[in-house]
């Protein structure tokens, strides 16, 4: 469940959308330096990894856009979440907690994150608009998450998981952010996600139907 994200379950291949050995769950990225996690909108991550790629390979994903993004981010020494089969929001949360704790493969226990899209540029209205372009995950946008929705959720979660989360919204794009992971923030967020605590502003539970006896 959600609480399992706090366990030591971070040593996994989060790049299975890649090609070659990385397409296997047993594969691991070959970074040449400590690799912070990179977050943002998909197109921004692609562009940022391309700009930072030090491998000289220029991609090499075998024709797939996702595999090309993986190759560019690995070449840039950046950890991106690229799992196509088996992805869900719980897996996404698990990856995010691992990143905030510095426990992703190649992160070298440095809880560093870098944002290809500035959290301060997020506009709440975008989360409620239908997403066009590359579409949503697993079905139509009216009933499925879009990549924009995911990034909103990631930033909201990080603002709770990191004791210094308030600094996220003043970060320039591309500047590294070191998360001061808060165990209390994690527990409080899990309680909210699992319904154990009432979120401020949430509606009251519905009243029971009147007795007909």
């Amino acid at each position: 469940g959600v609480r399992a994200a706090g366990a030591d379950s971070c040593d996994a291949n989060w790049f299975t959308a890649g090609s070659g050995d990385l397409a296997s769950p047993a594969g691991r990225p070959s970074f040449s330096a400590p690799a912070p996690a990179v977050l943002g909108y998909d197109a921004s991550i692609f562009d940022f990894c391309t700009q930072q790629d030090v491998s000289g390979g220029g991609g090499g994903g075998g024709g797939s856009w996702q595999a090309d993004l993986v190759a560019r981010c690995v070449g840039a020494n950046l950890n991106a979440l690229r799992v196509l089969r088996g992805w869900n929001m719980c897996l996404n949360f698990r990856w995010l907690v691992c990143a905030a704790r510095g426990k992703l493969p190649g992160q070298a226990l440095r809880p560093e994150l870098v944002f290809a899209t500035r959290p301060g540029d997020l506009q709440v209205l975008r989360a409620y608009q239908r997403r066009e372009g590359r579409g949503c995950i697993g079905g139509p946008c009216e009933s499925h998450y879009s990549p924009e929705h995911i990034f909103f959720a990631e930033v909201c979660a990080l603002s709770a998981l990191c004791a210094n989360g308030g600094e996220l919204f003043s970060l320039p794009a591309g500047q590294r952010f070191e998360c001061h992971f808060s165990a209390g923030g994690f527990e409080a967020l899990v309680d909210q996600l699992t319904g154990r605590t009432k979120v401020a502003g949430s509606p009251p539970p519905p009243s029971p139907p009147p007795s007909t006896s």
Side-chain angles (χ1 to χ4, degrees):
V2 174
R3 198 169 296 277
D8 289 325
S9 56
C10 301
D11 184 17
N13 181 9
W14 305 98
F15 281 109
T16 54
S19 58
D21 291 343
L22 275 180
S24 166
R28 294 293 185 275
S30 297
F31 297 118
S32 60
V38 60
L39 301 95
Y41 296 147
D42 281 359
S44 298
I45 291 175
F46 187 96
D47 291 344
F48 187 73
C49 287
T50 299
Q51 295 164 7
Q52 302 294 317
D53 188 351
V54 296
S55 69
S64 160
W65 186 90
Q66 293 282 359
D68 196 13
L69 184 150
V70 166
R72 291 167 190 259
C73 289
V74 172
N77 295 312
L78 292 168
N79 261 299
L81 175 58
R82 288 292 124 180
V83 174
L84 297 183
R85 295 182 180 179
W87 180 93
N88 56 41
M89 285 296 286
C90 287
L91 184 141
N92 206 107
F93 184 64
R94 176 182 154 201
W95 177 87
L96 191 68
V97 173
C98 291
R101 298 168 69 206
K103 292 198 171 187
L104 294 175
Q107 227 179 342
L109 298 179
R110 299 180 182 180
E112 290 185 338
L113 304 93
V114 62
F115 293 86
T117 303
R118 289 184 66 246
D121 288 340
L122 289 174
Q123 299 177 24
V124 174
L125 182 60
R126 283 180 64 104
Y128 296 94
Q129 294 174 334
R130 178 177 175 174
R131 301 269 61 84
E132 303 293 346
R134 295 183 54 247
C136 294
I137 302 167
C141 293
E142 289 83 354
S143 56
H144 292 74
Y145 292 110
S146 74
E148 285 87 351
H149 290 141
I150 306 308
F151 184 48
F152 268 86
E154 289 172 338
V155 172
C156 288
L158 285 171
S159 68
L161 292 172
C162 305
N164 55 338
E167 299 174 10
L168 289 169
F169 301 96
S170 59
L171 284 175
Q175 179 174 314
R176 295 193 180 191
F177 169 78
E178 181 175 335
C179 174
H180 300 164
F181 188 79
S182 167
F186 170 79
E187 293 294 335
L189 180 58
V190 169
D191 285 345
Q192 289 183 357
L193 292 174
T194 56
R196 294 189 180 189
T197 58
K198 182 175 180 288
V199 180
S202 59
S207 302
S211 173
T212 56
S213 59

